[in-house]
Amino acid sequence: MKSKLFYAILMAAFISCSTESTAVVTPVDAKKSKEITNFEKSIKSLALPQNLPTEEEKRNQQSLELSDRRKDILIPSALELIKSTGTSDQEITKNTQGDRDKILTWAVKIYNEKNNKTPQKTLND
């Protein structure tokens, strides 16, 4: 009796493990563009220890605004995201005059628009 129970459990585990590899998994991240993913990564990188605000930046901070150093971390991926919409460098320069705040605001707007178009995973998925 014990050996039958052992074999039943072993067989259930084997079947369970063998069907896991055949399951089709389509993560939401796979549907995101490279530019969206890169922008998300750069935002998340702000939480890394080396990118956290320094004591001096905290003292000089007037509001919740990012320091120039932390904005510089986001700018490359923000520009990449803006360009992914077909916007040229000249248009970016014309619309932002090189203002990092305007670039980041524009990128966040595009990010939100594209994220709203990407199917979101729900609790029922």
Side-chain angles (χ1 to χ4, degrees), residues 86-113:
T87 306
S88 69
D89 286 329
Q90 294 163 337
E91 290 176 272
I92 294 170
T93 303
K94 178 184 170 190
N95 291 329
T96 64
Q97 292 85 37
D99 185 343
R100 289 182 296 203
D101 292 327
K102 288 181 181 178
I103 293 169
L104 292 174
T105 301
W106 191 358
V108 168
K109 181 181 175 188
I110 293 168
Y111 174 80
N112 288 331
E113 288 172 359

Side-chain angles (χ1 to χ4, degrees), residues 2 5 29 32 34-35 40 43-44 48 54-55 62 75-76 78 95-97 114-115 123:
K2 289 182 182 179
L5 181 61
D29 288 344
K32 293 181 180 178
K34 178 185 74 152
E35 294 83 10
E40 285 177 344
I43 290 171
K44 290 175 184 176
L48 295 174
T54 63
E55 290 303 317
Q62 301 294 325
I75 290 297
N95 291 329
T96 64
Q97 292 85 37
K114 288 191 175 195
N115 252 356
L123 294 175

Side-chain angles (χ1 to χ4, degrees), residues 52-61 67 69-70:
L52 291 175
T54 63
E55 290 303 317
E56 182 180 343
E57 289 171 338
K58 288 178 186 177
R59 279 192 302 273
N60 295 334
Q61 189 174 3
S67 67
R69 178 183 63 86
R70 297 180 81 205

